C-alpha cells in the first residue's frame, strides 16, 4: 500500500506545492486505460491557477469552518469489499480509504439522482458529495448513523467566535447548533445555521429538514453546489462551486484530490466501520476544536502502589543564604480589550437602494433587480455586510439558479443588489424580504407582481370545414395557435364558448356542444392552456338535432379572440357555404 503524501495539509506556499504534487502523482498512478481527469480535473489542483470564490456569500456553506486535510493514497483504490478501520480510529492507508459506509453512500447517490432530475444541467456527480463528505466529517465519522440516516450524535464544528476562526454571531437562536451566542457548522456536511435555513432539504421524505441527517445534508449540499446555473462537468464551474462551499484554495485542492480518487473506484462498507481522518486545517490554531466525536468510556487503570525504600535517604539541607536581589514586583495584568465592532454590528437599519417597479409575466425574468442599502443610525453606508434576500410565502418565483434565498455582500457604498428574479407560473404579488445576516434588524419588504401570460393573436392551424349531421359528432377537432408579438405564446390561458351570435357572447342553449366528464353537454370551457408550441386543441364537438350555422368563440388571456363557424346539416341537404374563422385582437 502506498504511503500518504502530505497527511496534514497546512496553509502556505509549502502546502500548495505538496498538494499539487500529490494530485499529480495520484493521477499518474491510476490504472491504465482510465482518462486522467475529464475536463482537466487534475490540473485544477494547482492552487495558483484556481479561481477565487464567486459566490455572493463569502462565508460559504460552512462559514469557512475547519476541515479534514488528509489526502487519499497514491495507489488506485481496490474495489474489492473489505472492512475499514474501526470507528474513531485514524484512516488506514490503501484501498480501505475507498470504502464508504453503506447508508452514507446511499445518501450521496440518491442526492445525485434527485439533482439529475431537477437540475440536469448541473451534472452533479455523487463522488463530489462523497469528497466533500470525507473532508467535512469523514463520512459522518465513519458512518455513525442510524437506519434513517441520522447521525448517532450531533457533529459540530468549533464556535465561530472570531478566536482563530471567522466571527459569525448566532443566527438561529441555537436551534441547530445549541449555541445562542455564535454559530457552529452542523452535521455531516457542516452547514452553518444561516445557510441551512435556506439550503436545507428533506432528502429521505420524513417531512423534516435535519442538518444531522445524511440524506437531508447530502441533498442540500447538492442543491447548494448546483445553484448559479453552474455546470459541474466544466472545470471552471466545478472549482467555483467547491470554493463557494469553503473559500480556501487548500480546501479546493483537497476536495479535488478525493473526487479524483473516488472516480477511480469505491466500495460499500458496513455503517460504523469507516475510519476518521486525523489531519485538521485548524491544527495549532488558537481556539481550534475538532468536530465533536463521542467516545466510549474507558476503564480506568488501577493505580500502582509506590514501593518504599528500605532505608530512608539521608539529605543535607542546603545552606541558607540571604537573597542578593530583592524580589521584583509582578507586572500589572492588562485588562482584556473589547474587540472592535464588525461592520455588521454597526448596521442600524436597511434602506431601499433605488429599486424600480418589479413586474414580469409568468415564466419570464424580471428586468429590474432589488437593491438594498445597509446604514448606520446616522445614515452612513456600511460595506461588507451580508444581506439575505428571501422569497416569502408559497410562491414559485425564484432567483436565478432556482433558489428562493440569495445572500449578497454590500459593496463600498453599502449596497447589495439581489440576483435576477425569475417569475413562476403563480400570478399575483410576491414579497421578497431583505434582512441582515447575523444581526436583528427589521427586514425590508419588496413587492413584485407576476402577471399572467398573454397572447395578442390566435388563429386556426388549418382551414378544414367543420360540419356535422344532427345528433352526430364533428369529424374534426378545433385547433388554434396563439402568439405574442409574433412569438409562440405558451401556457396562455383561454376560454371557448359556443355563443348565441357575433354580437352576443352569451352561451348558446342549442346547437353544438362539448361534453363534461359525466357526458353532459356543456357550451363553455374554461381553464384551457396552450402548450409549449402555443397550440390549443379543443375536445370533441357534438351536435344536437338543431340544424344551422353556429359560432364558437375562443378568447385568450390578453384579449386575443377567434370566432369559428360550425355547420350542422342533414347529409342530403345542399352544401352549405364554406365556414370561415374571423380572428380579432
Amino acid at each position: 500500500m502506498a504511503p500518504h503524501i502530505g497527511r496534514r495539509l497546512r496553509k502556505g506556499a509549502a502546502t500548495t506545492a505538496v498538494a499539487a504534487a500529490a494530485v499529480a502523482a495520484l493521477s499518474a498512478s491510476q490504472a491504465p486505460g482510465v482518462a486522467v481527469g475529464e475536463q482537466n480535473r487534475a490540473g485544477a489542483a494547482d492552487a495558483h491557477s484556481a479561481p477565487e470564490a464567486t459566490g455572493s456569500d463569502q462565508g460559504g456553506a460552512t462559514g469557512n469552518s475547519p476541515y479534514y486535510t488528509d489526502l487519499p493514497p497514491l495507489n488506485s483504490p481496490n474495489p474489492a469489499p473489505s472492512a475499514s478501520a474501526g470507528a474513531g480510529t485514524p484512516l488506514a492507508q490503501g484501498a480501505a480509504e475507498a470504502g464508504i459506509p453503506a447508508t452514507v453512500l446511499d445518501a450521496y447517490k440518491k442526492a445525485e439522482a434527485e439533482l439529475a432530475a431537477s437540475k440536469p444541467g448541473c451534472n452533479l456527480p455523487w463522488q463530489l458529495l462523497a469528497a466533500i463528505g470525507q473532508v467535512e466529517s469523514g463520512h459522518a465519522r465513519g458512518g455513525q448513523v442510524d437506519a434513517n440516516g441520522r447521525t448517532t450524535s450531533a457533529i459540530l464544528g468549533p464556535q465561530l467566535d472570531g478566536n482563530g476562526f471567522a466571527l459569525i454571531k448566532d443566527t438561529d437562536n441555537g436551534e441547530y447548533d445549541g449555541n445562542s451566542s455564535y454559530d457552529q457548522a452542523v452535521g455531516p456536511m457542516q452547514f452553518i445555521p444561516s445557510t441551512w435555513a435556506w439550503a436545507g432539504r428533506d432528502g429521505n421524505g420524513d417531512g423534516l429538514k435535519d442538518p444531522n441527517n445524511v440524506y437531508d445534508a447530502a441533498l442540500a449540499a447538492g442543491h447548494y453546489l448546483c445553484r448559479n446555473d453552474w455546470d459541474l462537468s466544466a472545470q471552471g464551474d466545478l472549482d467555483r462551486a467547491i470554493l463557494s462551499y469553503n473559500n480556501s484554495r487548500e480546501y479546493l485542492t483537497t476536495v479535488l484530490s478525493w473526487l479524483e480518487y473516488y472516480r477511480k473506484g469505491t466500495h460499500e462498507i458496513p455503517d460504523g466501520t469507516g475510519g476518521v481522518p486525523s489531519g485538521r486545517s485548524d491544527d495549532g490554531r488558537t481556539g481550534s476544536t475538532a468536530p465533536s466525536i463521542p467516545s466510549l468510556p474507558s476503564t480506568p487503570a488501577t493505580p500502582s502502589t509506590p514501593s518504599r525504600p528500605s532505608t530512608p535517604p539521608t539529605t543535607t539541607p542546603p545552606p541558607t543564604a540571604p537573597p542578593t536581589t530583592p524580589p521584583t514586583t509582578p507586572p500589572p495584568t492588562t485588562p482584556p480589550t473589547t474587540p472592535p465592532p464588525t461592520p455588521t454590528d454597526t448596521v442600524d437599519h436597511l434602506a431601499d437602494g433605488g429599486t424600480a417597479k418589479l413586474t414580469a409575466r409568468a415564466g419570464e425574468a424580471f428586468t429590474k433587480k432589488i437593491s438594498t442599502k445597509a446604514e448606520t443610525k446616522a445614515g452612513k453606508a456600511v460595506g461588507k455586510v451580508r444581506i439575505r434576500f428571501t422569497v416569502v410565502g408559497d410562491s414559485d418565483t425564484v432567483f436565478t439558479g432556482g433558489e428562493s434565498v440569495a445572500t449578497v455582500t454590500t459593496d463600498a457604498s453599502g449596497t447589495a443588489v439581489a440576483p435576477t428574479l425569475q417569475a413562476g407560473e403563480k400570478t399575483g404579488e410576491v414579497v421578497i424580504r431583505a434582512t441582515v445576516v447575523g444581526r436583528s434588524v427589521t427586514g425590508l419588504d419588496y413587492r413584485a407582481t407576476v402577471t399572467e401570460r398573454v397572447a395578442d393573436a390566435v388563429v386556426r392551424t388549418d382551414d378544414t370545414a367543420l360540419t356535422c349531421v344532427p345528433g352526430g359528432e364533428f369529424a374534426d377537432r378545433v385547433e388554434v395557435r396563439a402568439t405574442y408579438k409574433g412569438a409562440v405564446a405558451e401556457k396562455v390561458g383561454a376560454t371557448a364558448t359556443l355563443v348565441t351570435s357575433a354580437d352576443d357572447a352569451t352561451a348558446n342553449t342549442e346547437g353544438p356542444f362539448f361534453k363534461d366528464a359525466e357526458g353532459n353537454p356543456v357550451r363553455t370551457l374554461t381553464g384551457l392552456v396552450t402548450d409549449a408550441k402555443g397550440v390549443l386543441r379543443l375536445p370533441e364537438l357534438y351536435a344536437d338535432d338543431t340544424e344551422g350555422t353556429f359560432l364558437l368563440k375562443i378568447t385568450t388571456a390578453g384579449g386575443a379572440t377567434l370566432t369559428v363557424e360550425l355547420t350542422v346539416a342533414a347529409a342530403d341537404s345542399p352544401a352549405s357555404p364554406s365556414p370561415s374563422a374571423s380572428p380579432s385582437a
Side-chain angles (χ1 to χ4, degrees):
M1 293 183 289
H4 275 268
I5 297 288
R7 169 64 73 171
R8 298 194 178 193
L9 186 63
R10 300 181 184 276
K11 296 187 179 294
T15 296
T16 301
V18 170
V23 174
L26 170 65
S27 299
S29 66
Q30 303 307 330
V34 179
V36 179
E38 300 164 18
Q39 288 85 33
N40 193 26
R41 291 189 191 93
D46 182 356
H48 291 294
S49 64
E52 296 294 344
T54 57
S56 58
D57 186 351
Q58 296 298 316
T62 71
N64 292 338
S65 294
Y67 54 91
Y68 288 115
T69 58
D70 293 29
L71 291 172
L74 297 184
N75 62 311
S76 298
N78 180 1
S82 62
S84 178
T89 64
L91 285 170
Q93 294 178 349
E97 290 183 331
I100 299 178
T103 299
V104 182
L105 180 60
D106 185 55
Y108 297 149
K109 291 185 176 181
K110 284 187 175 178
E112 177 196 53
E114 196 280 339
L115 267 299
S118 62
K119 295 185 179 180
C122 177
N123 295 304
L124 171 78
W126 66 262
Q127 291 92 340
L128 176 58
L129 297 176
I132 291 176
Q134 160 69 12
V135 169
E136 294 295 347
S137 68
H139 301 311
R141 300 189 306 257
Q144 295 293 323
V145 296
D146 62 21
N148 295 319
R150 197 172 198 278
T151 56
T152 54
S153 60
I155 302 176
L156 297 174
Q159 69 175 15
L160 301 175
D161 57 4
N163 183 23
F165 307 107
L167 175 60
I168 302 180
K169 294 186 177 180
D170 175 63
T171 61
D172 65 331
N173 198 29
E175 177 183 357
Y176 297 117
D177 54 14
N179 189 336
S180 58
S181 298
Y182 301 95
D183 272 353
Q184 295 176 248
V186 182
M189 302 304 272
Q190 289 290 277
F191 279 95
I192 54 173
S194 59
T195 303
W196 183 261
W198 63 265
R201 295 293 193 278
D202 176 14
N204 62 349
D206 63 358
L208 302 175
K209 297 178 182 179
D210 182 2
N212 287 299
N213 185 290
V214 69
Y215 287 101
D216 296 358
L219 184 57
H223 277 278
Y224 187 91
L225 295 166
C226 285
R227 73 198 195 287
N228 297 329
D229 288 331
W230 281 326
D231 177 1
L232 303 186
S233 66
Q235 188 64 55
D237 281 358
L238 175 64
D239 293 351
R240 293 181 186 92
I242 296 172
L243 283 169
S244 78
Y245 207 90
N246 189 314
N247 191 14
S248 160
R249 294 189 176 207
E250 289 79 10
Y251 181 86
L252 171 66
T253 299
T254 308
V255 170
L256 287 176
S257 299
W258 282 103
L259 170 60
E260 194 68 20
Y261 184 68
Y262 287 141
R263 284 185 185 275
K264 304 303 180 183
T266 58
H267 59 272
E268 177 185 299
I269 60 175
D271 290 341
T273 64
V276 177
S278 58
R280 295 276 298 169
S281 63
D282 57 338
D283 284 351
R285 188 184 300 184
T286 303
S288 65
T289 306
S292 59
I293 301 175
S295 57
L296 296 175
S298 58
T299 303
T302 303
S304 59
T305 303
S307 58
R308 295 184 178 182
S310 57
T311 305
T314 302
T315 59
T316 302
T320 303
T324 57
T325 304
T328 59
T329 303
T333 303
T334 303
T337 58
T338 302
T342 66
T344 301
D345 294 332
T346 67
V347 177
D348 175 76
H349 60 271
L350 295 177
D352 178 47
T355 304
K357 184 177 181 180
L358 299 168
T359 303
R361 280 190 295 271
E364 297 183 359
F366 284 78
T367 58
K368 307 297 182 182
K369 294 183 178 181
I370 296 172
S371 180
T372 300
K373 293 190 70 174
E375 296 180 344
T376 65
K377 190 172 184 179
K380 183 179 178 181
V382 185
K384 298 182 179 180
V385 174
R386 291 186 298 160
I387 305 298
R388 179 177 296 125
F389 298 95
T390 305
V391 179
V392 180
D394 182 19
S395 173
D396 55 357
T397 292
V398 294
F399 293 105
T400 300
E403 302 293 349
S404 60
V405 176
T407 304
V408 182
T409 302
T410 58
D411 59 19
S413 68
T415 302
V417 179
T420 300
L421 276 169
Q422 179 72 34
E425 295 302 323
K426 295 180 179 179
T427 59
E429 187 177 81
V430 179
V431 175
I432 300 92
R433 181 166 299 153
T435 56
V436 179
V437 176
R439 184 165 175 79
S440 297
V441 174
T442 302
L444 189 61
D445 285 352
Y446 296 85
R447 284 169 170 76
T449 302
V450 179
T451 60
E452 64 182 345
R453 296 172 182 260
V454 297
D456 57 13
V458 57
V459 297
R460 284 190 65 190
T461 59
D462 61 50
D463 56 0
T464 304
L466 299 169
T467 62
C468 182
V469 297
E473 177 181 348
F474 284 81
D476 298 293
R477 293 169 62 177
V478 178
E479 183 177 278
V480 299
R481 177 179 288 108
T483 57
Y484 180 73
K485 294 183 178 180
V488 167
E490 64 174 318
K491 298 181 181 179
V492 173
T495 60
T497 304
L498 292 150
V499 297
T500 302
S501 68
D503 300 323
D504 188 351
T506 304
N508 209 335
T509 57
E510 59 182 8
F513 59 88
F514 300 104
K515 289 183 178 180
D516 62 15
E518 287 74 33
N520 300 315
V522 292
R523 291 184 169 86
T524 298
L525 297 178
T526 59
L528 304 173
V529 179
T530 62
D531 64 15
K533 297 180 179 180
V535 172
L536 174 63
R537 185 174 171 82
L538 298 182
E540 293 84 354
L541 273 165
Y542 303 88
D544 61 14
D545 294 333
T546 308
E547 297 188 41
T549 300
F550 301 90
L551 300 179
L552 170 64
K553 187 175 184 178
I554 300 170
T555 305
T556 69
T561 62
L562 174 69
T563 302
V564 180
E565 288 187 357
L566 307 172
T567 301
V568 179
D572 55 355
S573 297
S576 301
S578 299
S580 62
S582 305
S584 62

